[in-house]
Amino acid sequence: MDRVDHFGRDLFVVLDREDRRPLRVQLEEQLRDGVRDGRLHAGTALPSTRALAAELDVARGVVVEAYGQLVAEGFLVARRGSATRVAKVAPAVGPPTAAPIARIPSVRFDLRPESAERGAFPRGPWLAAMRRALAAAPDADLGYGSWAGAPRLRSVLAAYLGRSRGVVAAADDIVVTAGITQAIALLAGLLRARGARRVLVEEPGFWQHRTILRRAGLELVPIEVDGGGLRTDALPAAAAALVTPAHQFPTGAVLAPERRAALLEWATAHDALVIEDDYDGEYRYDREPLGALQGLGAGRVAYLGSTSKTLAPALRLGWMALPGALAGAIADERGWADGGSPALDQLALASFIERGELDRHLRRMRLRYRRRRDRLVAALGEHVPDNEVGGAAAGLHVTVALAPEADVDAVLARASARGVGVFAAHHAGRPLLLVGYANIAEEAIEPAVRALAAAVRA
């Protein structure tokens, strides 16, 4: 006799007709185990007894009795007129779970320089771009696609970056990523695989990018940053240098023209790669537009950009403009890592840029951010007059240099107690507050700065 099992698709339940135990017992056991091991989460609605009985090809009474038994045991909850649901039951002891994901605490005054204004995301134009992408995408575009990214987006990015940032790149030089974090990880892994050992980094610099480089097995060589950006007067030999020339993080310094030339000369002399994180490159207020470093030395520079500061980090879309010899290798690394970015999102971004929506959005946001920046700098000058404010010419944050003896951790704690979210760093022996203005309303800046000033003075 052939064995016939019946499978409940909604609950991953399989009833074995050759098992001597009653079907009701088998169903109870599998549902009970699903609740205990956490597969069936508290509050999950179960199929109706009629629907599950039909799927399992059993009499409805089998399911009714199983549900009733599990309700009696406390594994399920049944209410008249409502679906039977999974009860809150402590899971069975199993392997340790991962640490919970850290959530950014909410604050009354958000002065953290983390992202573009989240509430300003252009939902309507982006939704229209998504619809256009879905409607126009040929069937072939719904396959796995190129590991380097959707050809249309790469072509659009090459033109856009050339126009807006002075990047010299063809579509074949572009690799789409899930953001700058992934871009740095891919470059770090490839460098290490090719025998690289040392990478120059800015001091101070972004801790997360340093962690990525270290995790790849690379040795970091910190190079001092001053008012002109990375100091290039005595750069040691290394395989690469990671820099933020448009708006250095965290100091806000802009890499001086003579230092740009010196950095490229160093890269040529040492056969090294310059990794350019175009941090805040789109936001300029008090100076002429400054193009990307890559435009001066495309053969030596890997240019990195993303939508995190222009649209939203949630899009998880970024790009690299790479020297031709690297583009293919990095595309392979990207493909083996995760198979590439979602094609429809890429096509939506291509449409969004082509139709001028990104340009329009950036024009609106530059005006809005400049007004906030001006109001913030004025408030800091009034309420924190003894502390130097820097990095205001571009980007989405300014720095406030505290006294060398200031306990910055205590300042942050006091600010948090007053409802102010703010970040800190150290530079040249002095603690810095990094005061962002992207996610705070203009009218809230004055009370926010007063609260921050009280935290500094306390």
PDB file of all heavy atoms in Angstrom, residues 200-223:
ATOM      1  N   LEU A 200      45.762  53.595   5.243  1.00  0.00           N
ATOM      2  CA  LEU A 200      45.762  54.870   5.956  1.00  0.00           C
ATOM      3  C   LEU A 200      44.321  55.287   6.231  1.00  0.00           C
ATOM      4  O   LEU A 200      43.452  55.160   5.366  1.00  0.00           O
ATOM      5  CB  LEU A 200      46.453  55.956   5.122  1.00  0.00           C
ATOM      6  CG  LEU A 200      47.845  55.663   4.559  1.00  0.00           C
ATOM      7  CD1 LEU A 200      48.419  56.919   3.894  1.00  0.00           C
ATOM      8  CD2 LEU A 200      48.776  55.142   5.632  1.00  0.00           C
ATOM      9  N   VAL A 201      44.071  55.790   7.437  1.00  0.00           N
ATOM     10  CA  VAL A 201      42.739  56.281   7.796  1.00  0.00           C
ATOM     11  C   VAL A 201      42.872  57.644   8.464  1.00  0.00           C
ATOM     12  O   VAL A 201      43.909  57.973   9.043  1.00  0.00           O
ATOM     13  CB  VAL A 201      42.006  55.308   8.751  1.00  0.00           C
ATOM     14  CG1 VAL A 201      41.717  53.994   8.058  1.00  0.00           C
ATOM     15  CG2 VAL A 201      42.806  55.070  10.026  1.00  0.00           C
ATOM     16  N   GLU A 202      41.824  58.429   8.372  1.00  0.00           N
ATOM     17  CA  GLU A 202      41.825  59.754   8.988  1.00  0.00           C
ATOM     18  C   GLU A 202      41.724  59.625  10.500  1.00  0.00           C
ATOM     19  O   GLU A 202      41.051  58.741  11.022  1.00  0.00           O
ATOM     20  CB  GLU A 202      40.649  60.572   8.450  1.00  0.00           C
ATOM     21  CG  GLU A 202      40.723  60.843   6.958  1.00  0.00           C
ATOM     22  CD  GLU A 202      39.437  61.383   6.382  1.00  0.00           C
ATOM     23  OE1 GLU A 202      38.355  61.020   6.906  1.00  0.00           O
ATOM     24  OE2 GLU A 202      39.491  62.164   5.430  1.00  0.00           O
ATOM     25  N   GLU A 203      42.390  60.541  11.201  1.00  0.00           N
ATOM     26  CA  GLU A 203      42.348  60.583  12.666  1.00  0.00           C
ATOM     27  C   GLU A 203      41.948  61.988  13.109  1.00  0.00           C
ATOM     28  O   GLU A 203      42.726  62.934  12.949  1.00  0.00           O
ATOM     29  CB  GLU A 203      43.709  60.217  13.247  1.00  0.00           C
ATOM     30  CG  GLU A 203      43.785  60.270  14.769  1.00  0.00           C
ATOM     31  CD  GLU A 203      42.745  59.379  15.452  1.00  0.00           C
ATOM     32  OE1 GLU A 203      42.542  58.217  15.029  1.00  0.00           O
ATOM     33  OE2 GLU A 203      42.131  59.869  16.406  1.00  0.00           O
ATOM     34  N   PRO A 204      40.692  62.164  13.625  1.00  0.00           N
ATOM     35  CA  PRO A 204      39.714  61.121  13.918  1.00  0.00           C
ATOM     36  C   PRO A 204      38.968  60.676  12.659  1.00  0.00           C
ATOM     37  O   PRO A 204      39.032  61.337  11.622  1.00  0.00           O
ATOM     38  CB  PRO A 204      38.771  61.810  14.896  1.00  0.00           C
ATOM     39  CG  PRO A 204      38.807  63.258  14.477  1.00  0.00           C
ATOM     40  CD  PRO A 204      40.228  63.510  14.054  1.00  0.00           C
ATOM     41  N   GLY A 205      38.221  59.567  12.793  1.00  0.00           N
ATOM     42  CA  GLY A 205      37.468  59.053  11.671  1.00  0.00           C
ATOM     43  C   GLY A 205      36.258  58.279  12.159  1.00  0.00           C
ATOM     44  O   GLY A 205      35.997  58.207  13.363  1.00  0.00           O
ATOM     45  N   PHE A 206      35.533  57.690  11.222  1.00  0.00           N
ATOM     46  CA  PHE A 206      34.297  56.987  11.547  1.00  0.00           C
ATOM     47  C   PHE A 206      34.633  55.590  12.056  1.00  0.00           C
ATOM     48  O   PHE A 206      35.227  54.781  11.340  1.00  0.00           O
ATOM     49  CB  PHE A 206      33.406  56.922  10.312  1.00  0.00           C
ATOM     50  CG  PHE A 206      32.031  56.365  10.551  1.00  0.00           C
ATOM     51  CD1 PHE A 206      31.371  56.579  11.750  1.00  0.00           C
ATOM     52  CD2 PHE A 206      31.394  55.636   9.574  1.00  0.00           C
ATOM     53  CE1 PHE A 206      30.100  56.079  11.976  1.00  0.00           C
ATOM     54  CE2 PHE A 206      30.119  55.125   9.775  1.00  0.00           C
ATOM     55  CZ  PHE A 206      29.474  55.342  10.983  1.00  0.00           C
ATOM     56  N   TRP A 207      34.198  55.291  13.279  1.00  0.00           N
ATOM     57  CA  TRP A 207      34.559  54.033  13.929  1.00  0.00           C
ATOM     58  C   TRP A 207      34.075  52.816  13.156  1.00  0.00           C
ATOM     59  O   TRP A 207      34.762  51.786  13.110  1.00  0.00           O
ATOM     60  CB  TRP A 207      33.980  53.993  15.348  1.00  0.00           C
ATOM     61  CG  TRP A 207      32.480  53.934  15.377  1.00  0.00           C
ATOM     62  CD1 TRP A 207      31.618  54.987  15.411  1.00  0.00           C
ATOM     63  CD2 TRP A 207      31.665  52.762  15.333  1.00  0.00           C
ATOM     64  NE1 TRP A 207      30.309  54.552  15.401  1.00  0.00           N
ATOM     65  CE2 TRP A 207      30.309  53.175  15.359  1.00  0.00           C
ATOM     66  CE3 TRP A 207      31.936  51.394  15.296  1.00  0.00           C
ATOM     67  CZ2 TRP A 207      29.244  52.291  15.323  1.00  0.00           C
ATOM     68  CZ3 TRP A 207      30.872  50.499  15.270  1.00  0.00           C
ATOM     69  CH2 TRP A 207      29.548  50.946  15.283  1.00  0.00           C
ATOM     70  N   GLN A 208      32.896  52.907  12.541  1.00  0.00           N
ATOM     71  CA  GLN A 208      32.332  51.733  11.872  1.00  0.00           C
ATOM     72  C   GLN A 208      33.191  51.325  10.674  1.00  0.00           C
ATOM     73  O   GLN A 208      33.436  50.142  10.454  1.00  0.00           O
ATOM     74  CB  GLN A 208      30.905  52.022  11.417  1.00  0.00           C
ATOM     75  CG  GLN A 208      30.183  50.784  10.894  1.00  0.00           C
ATOM     76  CD  GLN A 208      28.727  51.063  10.574  1.00  0.00           C
ATOM     77  OE1 GLN A 208      28.366  52.190  10.211  1.00  0.00           O
ATOM     78  NE2 GLN A 208      27.885  50.067  10.701  1.00  0.00           N
ATOM     79  N   HIS A 209      33.644  52.302   9.910  1.00  0.00           N
ATOM     80  CA  HIS A 209      34.490  51.982   8.767  1.00  0.00           C
ATOM     81  C   HIS A 209      35.825  51.392   9.221  1.00  0.00           C
ATOM     82  O   HIS A 209      36.371  50.483   8.575  1.00  0.00           O
ATOM     83  CB  HIS A 209      34.711  53.232   7.928  1.00  0.00           C
ATOM     84  CG  HIS A 209      33.453  53.716   7.266  1.00  0.00           C
ATOM     85  ND1 HIS A 209      33.364  54.930   6.620  1.00  0.00           N
ATOM     86  CD2 HIS A 209      32.221  53.133   7.153  1.00  0.00           C
ATOM     87  CE1 HIS A 209      32.138  55.075   6.128  1.00  0.00           C
ATOM     88  NE2 HIS A 209      31.429  54.017   6.450  1.00  0.00           N
ATOM     89  N   ARG A 210      36.348  51.880  10.319  1.00  0.00           N
ATOM     90  CA  ARG A 210      37.590  51.302  10.848  1.00  0.00           C
ATOM     91  C   ARG A 210      37.381  49.847  11.260  1.00  0.00           C
ATOM     92  O   ARG A 210      38.243  48.995  11.032  1.00  0.00           O
ATOM     93  CB  ARG A 210      38.074  52.121  12.056  1.00  0.00           C
ATOM     94  CG  ARG A 210      38.494  53.526  11.703  1.00  0.00           C
ATOM     95  CD  ARG A 210      39.081  54.206  12.909  1.00  0.00           C
ATOM     96  NE  ARG A 210      39.501  55.560  12.590  1.00  0.00           N
ATOM     97  CZ  ARG A 210      40.456  56.210  13.239  1.00  0.00           C
ATOM     98  NH1 ARG A 210      41.082  55.630  14.247  1.00  0.00           N
ATOM     99  NH2 ARG A 210      40.781  57.429  12.904  1.00  0.00           N
ATOM    100  N   THR A 211      36.237  49.588  11.878  1.00  0.00           N
ATOM    101  CA  THR A 211      35.946  48.214  12.292  1.00  0.00           C
ATOM    102  C   THR A 211      35.889  47.282  11.086  1.00  0.00           C
ATOM    103  O   THR A 211      36.385  46.148  11.128  1.00  0.00           O
ATOM    104  CB  THR A 211      34.616  48.175  13.058  1.00  0.00           C
ATOM    105  OG1 THR A 211      34.718  49.024  14.215  1.00  0.00           O
ATOM    106  CG2 THR A 211      34.279  46.759  13.505  1.00  0.00           C
ATOM    107  N   ILE A 212      35.280  47.750  10.006  1.00  0.00           N
ATOM    108  CA  ILE A 212      35.197  46.924   8.788  1.00  0.00           C
ATOM    109  C   ILE A 212      36.587  46.586   8.275  1.00  0.00           C
ATOM    110  O   ILE A 212      36.863  45.437   7.903  1.00  0.00           O
ATOM    111  CB  ILE A 212      34.387  47.676   7.709  1.00  0.00           C
ATOM    112  CG1 ILE A 212      32.924  47.816   8.137  1.00  0.00           C
ATOM    113  CG2 ILE A 212      34.470  46.947   6.362  1.00  0.00           C
ATOM    114  CD1 ILE A 212      32.143  48.781   7.277  1.00  0.00           C
ATOM    115  N   LEU A 213      37.460  47.569   8.236  1.00  0.00           N
ATOM    116  CA  LEU A 213      38.817  47.327   7.744  1.00  0.00           C
ATOM    117  C   LEU A 213      39.563  46.349   8.642  1.00  0.00           C
ATOM    118  O   LEU A 213      40.264  45.441   8.157  1.00  0.00           O
ATOM    119  CB  LEU A 213      39.581  48.656   7.653  1.00  0.00           C
ATOM    120  CG  LEU A 213      39.027  49.674   6.640  1.00  0.00           C
ATOM    121  CD1 LEU A 213      39.751  50.998   6.772  1.00  0.00           C
ATOM    122  CD2 LEU A 213      39.150  49.140   5.215  1.00  0.00           C
ATOM    123  N   ARG A 214      39.411  46.520   9.950  1.00  0.00           N
ATOM    124  CA  ARG A 214      40.094  45.605  10.873  1.00  0.00           C
ATOM    125  C   ARG A 214      39.558  44.189  10.717  1.00  0.00           C
ATOM    126  O   ARG A 214      40.322  43.219  10.774  1.00  0.00           O
ATOM    127  CB  ARG A 214      39.900  46.075  12.318  1.00  0.00           C
ATOM    128  CG  ARG A 214      40.691  47.322  12.691  1.00  0.00           C
ATOM    129  CD  ARG A 214      40.726  47.488  14.196  1.00  0.00           C
ATOM    130  NE  ARG A 214      41.310  48.766  14.580  1.00  0.00           N
ATOM    131  CZ  ARG A 214      40.608  49.843  14.884  1.00  0.00           C
ATOM    132  NH1 ARG A 214      39.275  49.803  14.846  1.00  0.00           N
ATOM    133  NH2 ARG A 214      41.208  50.954  15.230  1.00  0.00           N
ATOM    134  N   ARG A 215      38.254  44.055  10.566  1.00  0.00           N
ATOM    135  CA  ARG A 215      37.661  42.722  10.424  1.00  0.00           C
ATOM    136  C   ARG A 215      38.165  42.010   9.170  1.00  0.00           C
ATOM    137  O   ARG A 215      38.163  40.781   9.106  1.00  0.00           O
ATOM    138  CB  ARG A 215      36.136  42.828  10.389  1.00  0.00           C
ATOM    139  CG  ARG A 215      35.509  43.125  11.750  1.00  0.00           C
ATOM    140  CD  ARG A 215      34.025  43.444  11.611  1.00  0.00           C
ATOM    141  NE  ARG A 215      33.268  42.334  11.072  1.00  0.00           N
ATOM    142  CZ  ARG A 215      32.725  41.367  11.789  1.00  0.00           C
ATOM    143  NH1 ARG A 215      32.847  41.386  13.106  1.00  0.00           N
ATOM    144  NH2 ARG A 215      32.036  40.400  11.228  1.00  0.00           N
ATOM    145  N   ALA A 216      38.592  42.781   8.188  1.00  0.00           N
ATOM    146  CA  ALA A 216      39.153  42.187   6.978  1.00  0.00           C
ATOM    147  C   ALA A 216      40.612  41.790   7.164  1.00  0.00           C
ATOM    148  O   ALA A 216      41.219  41.225   6.252  1.00  0.00           O
ATOM    149  CB  ALA A 216      39.024  43.163   5.812  1.00  0.00           C
ATOM    150  N   GLY A 217      41.175  42.090   8.334  1.00  0.00           N
ATOM    151  CA  GLY A 217      42.567  41.725   8.599  1.00  0.00           C
ATOM    152  C   GLY A 217      43.573  42.780   8.199  1.00  0.00           C
ATOM    153  O   GLY A 217      44.772  42.485   8.093  1.00  0.00           O
ATOM    154  N   LEU A 218      43.118  44.017   7.999  1.00  0.00           N
ATOM    155  CA  LEU A 218      44.018  45.098   7.586  1.00  0.00           C
ATOM    156  C   LEU A 218      44.506  45.893   8.793  1.00  0.00           C
ATOM    157  O   LEU A 218      43.778  46.078   9.766  1.00  0.00           O
ATOM    158  CB  LEU A 218      43.294  46.029   6.616  1.00  0.00           C
ATOM    159  CG  LEU A 218      42.911  45.391   5.268  1.00  0.00           C
ATOM    160  CD1 LEU A 218      41.911  46.265   4.536  1.00  0.00           C
ATOM    161  CD2 LEU A 218      44.153  45.154   4.416  1.00  0.00           C
ATOM    162  N   GLU A 219      45.721  46.354   8.712  1.00  0.00           N
ATOM    163  CA  GLU A 219      46.312  47.203   9.762  1.00  0.00           C
ATOM    164  C   GLU A 219      46.010  48.657   9.439  1.00  0.00           C
ATOM    165  O   GLU A 219      46.218  49.109   8.313  1.00  0.00           O
ATOM    166  CB  GLU A 219      47.829  46.985   9.812  1.00  0.00           C
ATOM    167  CG  GLU A 219      48.550  47.904  10.780  1.00  0.00           C
ATOM    168  CD  GLU A 219      50.061  47.831  10.636  1.00  0.00           C
ATOM    169  OE1 GLU A 219      50.562  46.884   9.992  1.00  0.00           O
ATOM    170  OE2 GLU A 219      50.738  48.747  11.172  1.00  0.00           O
ATOM    171  N   LEU A 220      45.512  49.400  10.425  1.00  0.00           N
ATOM    172  CA  LEU A 220      45.151  50.796  10.214  1.00  0.00           C
ATOM    173  C   LEU A 220      46.275  51.715  10.640  1.00  0.00           C
ATOM    174  O   LEU A 220      46.859  51.549  11.721  1.00  0.00           O
ATOM    175  CB  LEU A 220      43.883  51.139  10.991  1.00  0.00           C
ATOM    176  CG  LEU A 220      42.673  50.217  10.772  1.00  0.00           C
ATOM    177  CD1 LEU A 220      41.441  50.820  11.428  1.00  0.00           C
ATOM    178  CD2 LEU A 220      42.434  49.969   9.303  1.00  0.00           C
ATOM    179  N   VAL A 221      46.569  52.701   9.804  1.00  0.00           N
ATOM    180  CA  VAL A 221      47.603  53.697  10.102  1.00  0.00           C
ATOM    181  C   VAL A 221      46.912  55.050  10.194  1.00  0.00           C
ATOM    182  O   VAL A 221      46.564  55.651   9.164  1.00  0.00           O
ATOM    183  CB  VAL A 221      48.686  53.722   9.017  1.00  0.00           C
ATOM    184  CG1 VAL A 221      49.777  54.740   9.380  1.00  0.00           C
ATOM    185  CG2 VAL A 221      49.288  52.341   8.798  1.00  0.00           C
ATOM    186  N   PRO A 222      46.666  55.573  11.400  1.00  0.00           N
ATOM    187  CA  PRO A 222      45.955  56.850  11.540  1.00  0.00           C
ATOM    188  C   PRO A 222      46.816  58.025  11.069  1.00  0.00           C
ATOM    189  O   PRO A 222      48.006  58.123  11.396  1.00  0.00           O
ATOM    190  CB  PRO A 222      45.683  56.944  13.046  1.00  0.00           C
ATOM    191  CG  PRO A 222      45.912  55.562  13.579  1.00  0.00           C
ATOM    192  CD  PRO A 222      46.952  54.953  12.701  1.00  0.00           C
ATOM    193  N   ILE A 223      46.197  58.930  10.296  1.00  0.00           N
ATOM    194  CA  ILE A 223      46.855  60.139   9.819  1.00  0.00           C
ATOM    195  C   ILE A 223      46.057  61.338  10.321  1.00  0.00           C
ATOM    196  O   ILE A 223      44.838  61.405  10.143  1.00  0.00           O
ATOM    197  CB  ILE A 223      46.934  60.174   8.278  1.00  0.00           C
ATOM    198  CG1 ILE A 223      47.632  58.926   7.738  1.00  0.00           C
ATOM    199  CG2 ILE A 223      47.636  61.439   7.810  1.00  0.00           C
ATOM    200  CD1 ILE A 223      49.088  58.786   8.164  1.00  0.00           C
TER     201      ILE A 223
END
